[in-house]
Structure formats: structure tokens, C-alpha cells
Amino acid sequence: MNYDELFPTIVSHAKEYGFIFPSSEVYENGLQAVYDYGQLGVELKRNIKTAWWKAMVQMHENIVGLDAAILMHPTVWKASGHVDAFNDPMIDNKDSKKRYRADNLIEEHIDKLLAKSRKDTAKRAKKEGWEEGSEEYNGFLHKNRNAVKAQEVQEQLATALSNDDLEGLRNIIIEQKIVCPVSGSKEWSEVRQFNLMFKTQLGATADSAMDLYLRPETAQGIFVNFLNVQKTSRMKLPFGIAQIGKAFRNEIVARQFIFRMREFEQMEMQFFIKPGTQEEWFNYWKEYRIKWHQALGIQDDRLTFHEHEKLAHYADAAEDIQFHFPMGIKELEGIHSRTDFDLKQHMEFSGKKMQYFDPEDQTSYVPYVIETSVGLDRTFLAHLCNAYEEEEVPSAKGTMEVRKVLKLHPVLAPYKVAVFPLVRKDGLPEIAREIISDLKIEHNVMYDEKDAVGRRYRRHDAIGTPFCVTVDYETKDDQCVTIRERDTMKQERIPISEVSNYVREKLSWKNILA
Ligand code: GAP
């Protein structure tokens, strides 16, 4: 299957096997852009969180964790700039009454032009006999009509966004004849700014109620706790505070599954440093973070850095780590050099000092901050897309069949081992259960006795279980089992007493973290 057409398959695979369900689906198709993680989804999500926490906190003596509350004093969001400037440009289609982000509509149009450009290039390459990646191939890929148009629209979009030019955004939509994906109509409203924060209220009576916001990022919980953590942990600069938690944004979305959600999770780390050292630390974290994605098995050629065209007013550098999703190359993580903006803002709005006393220089100053901010759900989606493959393999009947396989890194797989008795009798289930009892102390494992062994393999390939262990009649005599590896489908016979060590070695965090 062509990777660029994989998206609908990923969405249905995630539902069919219990990774992700649309939220409250029983009520009129549920709630748009909100999702529930099913029995396999929670495991994969938990394993990604563990991988991040180990790499960020466990591997750095100078990084500690935090779990700040979702509800915060409303002035936090005034100080951070979110009340005044956390907006998206939105546009309504007059016929379908659907609302879209104007910049997303244009980005989707650019993605379509680029997809056409790739298709045209493949066609031409076939006709001319060009090798993929050759000079002729790349020349045509970048200079054909659709590629040039995509580049032009990209530049217009960047200019309109950096000038906050709402009319300019609308003009691009009109000029490019972009239609509403639901009604197919070109009847568009003006473009307006729309604040993304969800409001709620604290307090029981209308008189005493206080307007609050659901946090749109976890970072501010770290900034307001900067001195609490620094003093109680007795950390010296440079040091970091890491946090994993929910964030909420009233996103205007169009069929993007868990890529853009209204309730999602972030894994953020703020690294507090001496002013003047920000370039060095920005480069350190850029390299460290891309290596983390690679170490977990994301293909190198699907990851790229992207420098922000327009820097936020508080940043002196910002780059995204982008992932090539089937629906386009998109942001996975942001690395931001945020200067001393946030701490200074909180100092000003709270009237409390947020300075650090440097024992070496005997001076006090407000630290600068490098932030690494990655979406947990987006990382989850990247792994599903990266790992999903359909392969033609011989079936038990001797014909060919398609095996769907999730080639997830073993440390991320929801189940590490599935143990099968060949048949449901003659003492084989009891032996399988004993192996399970031993393995489950260390790993998430599954006992599976339903259907023929071949079908059980397919089921576990589809959910990414890296090892399947089969107990057969010979096991009773030789105390050995067959262990089958998911990606190569190779089978090996090993003593039951070695199963635990075999699996432990393959699941070691050492390779990833070293
Ligand atoms: N504290 C900085 C910050 O929040 P951001 O670029 O707005 O920066 C960081 O968000 C990351 O959070 C993104 O790179 C993305 O992975 C994830 N993210 C942001 N909005 C999201 C949404 N609506 N749904 C899922 N993930 C989202």
C-alpha cells in the first residue's frame, strides 16, 4: 500500500483492534476531535510516556519531574499572553455552516498540490526510465507545474501569517478556488481571530464564581513552580523541569484524527539556563530530541527539522521536528528558545521575584529557558503510521495472503509476549499458563488459545506483539517451546527456562537510552 494513502487504514485499524475510539460515539457519532484510548491504546501511550520520562528525567541528573494542576489562577494566562494572543484565523463556509482554520485549508491545498507533483513525477519517471532520486527525477519533482504552484502558495501563506493579514489569507482561499470539503462550495465568510482556550467557572454561586481556563499547554505550570522546585531540589543552573499532562484547545479541526485534538497530552520540559548560553543548549536539545525519536524506531528519512518562519514575540529561536505523516509533513515536536519572557511576565503580573542567585557569579538574574514540547498523541500517531505494514506472505493453505503487521519497537508494543498452547487439552494450557505466570511479573503478556496458531500469529502481528511462544506436545518431553519473532517471522526452539532471559534482553532499555 502506498504510504501517502495510509491514513484511513490507520484510523480503522486503530479502532478495529482497540487502540482508539471516537469519544462518546454512541451519541450521534460522538464528540468531534476528542478520542478515547482503548485497551491497547493505553498500553502504547503508557510505554511512550515511560520512554520519554526515562530519556528526559532518569538520564539527566539535573532534570526533575512535576505534576501541576490543570486548573490555574486566571492571571497566569494573562501573563503568558494566551488571553490576548492565543488565536487561530477561522473562516466559515456559508453553505455547509462548517468552520475551518483558514491556514489549515491552505496547507491542505498545498499538500494536495505536492501529492499531485509526486504522482506526475512518478509517471514521467516511468516513461523516461529515470531512477528515483536521480538528477532528472529530482529536477522534475521540484520544477513541475504543481510543485512551483505549491511553493508560491506556501510563500503567500507565510507572508499573510507573519503580517497577521486576515484578508490576505481569505484572498489565497478565493484565488486558489479552495472548496469546502463538506459542501464543495466556494462561499466563504471573512477570516476572524478565534481564541483557543476553553473557559470554565470556579465556585458555586453566580456572584462569587471566577472564570478559569483549562490549560492550553502544560508549560505554565512549570514556570510558576520554577522557584518552588529549584529551592526544594537545591538545583543549580542549568537544570530542567519535566512534565506530562493534559492540555485543552478549542481547535477548529477537519478530519485529522488524533493529530489535532481538543483534549490531548503534552510531554514538556523547560530547561533553565544562564542568559547567553541559549544557542549551545538549543542545539543540544535539538539533537537529543531527534535522536529520541530515531532510537524508538521512527525512520530517519521521515524526520526533519523545520525552522519557524515567524518567531513568537518571546522566542529568539524555534524549530519543529516534523514527521512525514501519510497526510503530509507535519509538526511533531517544538524546540523553543523562550528567553526570559515567561518568568519575567509572571514576575510582573504576580509581583513576586522569580530570580536565581548564581553562587559562582554572586549575582541574581532571571534565567533563560529552552523548551522541548512534544505531543504524546501525535507521537502515538507517528508510531502507528511508521510501524504499519501490509506484506504478502504464504498462508497455511499454500496460497498468498496479506499480513497486517505493526512493527513497533518492542519496548513500545502493548503486549510483549503472547503464549499459545497448540491445543486446548492434554496439559498444554497448564504449561502455557505457567510460562505466563513467570513472564507477567516483568512484562505485559497475553495468553491466547483461540483459533489455529497461524491465525493467532496474524492477530498478534496486527497489534505489534514482538514475540509469540507456542507450547506443543514435544514441550512435555523436552521442556522447550517455539519462540517466533514478529518482524522476521523466524522461529527458534528454546528451553522454557530461557524464555524470560531471551525476552528481557530484547526489551532492554539500554540500547535506546545509551
Ligand atoms: N509549550 C509550547 C507549546 O505548547 P505547541 O507547538 O503549541 O507549543 C507543542 O505544542 C506540541 O503539542 C506540538 O508539537 C504537538 O505535538 C502538540 N499539540 C499541540 N496542539 C495539539 C492538538 N490540538 N492536538 C494534539 N497535539 C497537539
Side-chain angles (χ1 to χ4, degrees), residues 216-217 219 249 251 258-261 264 266 268 331-334 336 338 371 373-375 377-378:
E217 62 169 15
R249 296 184 189 178
E251 299 275 9
I258 58 166
F259 179 80
R260 199 178 299 285
M261 301 156 88
F264 57 101
Q266 288 185 315
E268 296 200 300
E331 175 186 343
L332 181 61
E333 168 157 10
H336 310 129
R338 293 181 75 126
E371 166 184 74
S373 175
V374 61
D377 313 85
R378 251 180 227 186

Side-chain angles (χ1 to χ4, degrees), residues 76-86 195 197 313 341 345:
V76 165
W77 306 111
K78 195 80 194 140
S80 67
H82 284 83
V83 171
D84 297 321
F86 193 52
N195 192 285
M197 283 196 295
H313 56 284
F341 173 83
Q345 286 292 101

Side-chain angles (χ1 to χ4, degrees), residues 75-76 78-81 220 313 340-351 354 366:
T75 314
V76 165
K78 195 80 194 140
S80 67
Q220 298 304 323
H313 56 284
D340 52 6
F341 173 83
D342 301 87
L343 289 179
K344 274 198 170 151
Q345 286 292 101
H346 289 305
M347 243 166 76
E348 190 186 325
F349 279 75
S350 67
M354 298 242 176
V366 179

Side-chain angles (χ1 to χ4, degrees), residues 76 85 117 148 195 235 286 303 352 373 381 434:
V76 165
S117 149
V148 172
N195 192 285
M235 283 284 179
K286 260 180 62 183
L303 290 168
K352 306 266 163 53
S373 175
L381 181 59
E434 262 175 49

Side-chain angles (χ1 to χ4, degrees), residues 273-286:
I273 54 172
K274 192 171 177 173
T277 62
Q278 63 268 35
E279 199 180 326
E280 171 198 335
W281 285 113
F282 182 72
N283 290 332
Y284 171 86
W285 284 111
K286 260 180 62 183

